[in-house]
Amino acid sequence: MFVAGFPAGAWGTNCYLVAPAAGEECVIVDPGHEATQGVEDLIREHRLKPVAVLLTHGHIDHIASVVPVCGAKGIPAWIHPEDRYMMADPARGLGRSLGQQIMGSITVGEPDDVRELTDRSVLELAGLSLTVDHAPGHTKGSVTFRTPSQDDIPPVLFSGDLLFAGSVGRTDLPGGDGEAILRSLARVCLPLDDSTVVLSGHGGQTTIGRERATNPYLQQAAGALDAPAFPRRGM
């Protein structure tokens, strides 16, 4: 499997292009703020043909470039129905004061083709098989996407803002829920093999094994210890 990514925009949100190999069809995960040029550069460099945009949740730092990316290529965007409202009104997902502050210079909307994700569904796109797991807590409609193990290739989890290296997504914005994110960590992340590569919405990559051993939030989700107060990371 081929994965190319880059941190986009003011919030450094990771955008990923995923394909069976260079030169083939791909999916684009979380084209956020000012991601359009980076997406176009990777498409050109690796001779990729995008067929879908996949959104881990609806916060503006993950969806800001959806319309130009989809519109330029005529491709659908996939999002969980509980976060779909943020595509047209992202300020609602940030709260009034923060939303007004951020949204003044950003114009967004729904692309022409929006499709809704369901829990435990399997997307067969671009020669890839991606399992969708609903993972509320950061937002009500947060999801992850995971690939199966293939021969000696470890599975990959695109975790959005559910799980970071050493941390988790913030839960203090509208739709956030600290107890729900712990339940999502337990349900979605803990059953995965330690070799699973975690590509998150912010920061560098990690593995489930590393997080199982060191991440206090994942350990709290497993009932191992008390975790500190939830951080303010991600949008």
Side-chain angles (χ1 to χ4, degrees):
M1 186 174 71
F2 173 86
V3 180
F6 62 97
W11 299 283
T13 304
N14 290 325
C15 176
Y16 302 102
L17 280 69
V18 190
E24 299 191 21
E25 292 183 339
C26 73
V27 298
I28 302 167
V29 180
D30 288 349
H33 182 234
E34 297 181 346
T36 305
Q37 188 61 55
V39 168
E40 292 177 352
D41 289 345
L42 288 178
I43 288 171
R44 186 182 313 108
E45 177 182 356
H46 300 290
R47 309 177 316 283
L48 299 169
K49 179 183 177 183
V51 298
V53 164
L54 307 181
L55 302 171
T56 61
H57 62 288
H59 281 160
I60 187 64
D61 61 325
H62 289 251
I63 70 166
S65 296
V66 167
V67 170
V69 168
C70 288
K73 307 295 185 297
I75 60 177
W78 294 78
I79 192 168
H80 192 276
E82 291 202 68
D83 273 16
R84 181 170 177 172
Y85 73 93
M86 284 188 256
M87 299 181 83
D89 189 8
R92 282 179 57 197
L94 304 177
R96 178 173 298 178
S97 59
L98 182 59
Q100 290 176 343
Q101 175 185 346
I102 290 174
M103 293 308 302
S105 60
I106 301 175
T107 301
V108 295
E110 283 201 1
D112 292 337
D113 188 353
V114 179
R115 305 181 188 184
E116 296 186 346
L117 299 165
T118 57
D119 185 43
R120 297 297 168 94
S121 60
V122 178
L123 301 177
E124 302 288 348
L125 297 167
L128 304 166
S129 181
L130 297 161
T131 298
V132 179
D133 288 299
H134 186 208
H138 181 61
T139 66
K140 290 184 177 181
S142 289
V143 301
T144 64
F145 304 101
R146 54 186 167 91
T147 68
S149 297
Q150 295 180 352
D151 300 324
D152 58 347
I153 301 174
V156 175
L157 175 71
F158 296 92
S159 65
D161 287 5
L162 171 65
L163 179 67
F164 303 132
S167 191
V168 294
R170 63 191 292 177
T171 60
D172 60 334
L173 295 175
D177 185 326
E179 292 301 318
I181 206 169
L182 291 176
R183 291 192 296 270
S184 292
L185 290 168
R187 173 178 177 265
V188 174
C189 298
L190 287 176
L192 299 178
D193 190 86
D194 282 352
S195 67
T196 303
V197 176
V198 179
L199 299 179
S200 63
H202 300 271
Q205 77 176 51
T206 184
T207 65
I208 288 294
R210 184 180 305 154
E211 297 313 300
R212 198 189 309 276
T214 63
N215 189 314
Y217 301 96
L218 199 58
Q219 291 176 338
Q220 186 184 7
L225 51 80
D226 292 329
F230 283 91
R232 294 174 60 83
R233 188 173 183 189
M235 176 55 62

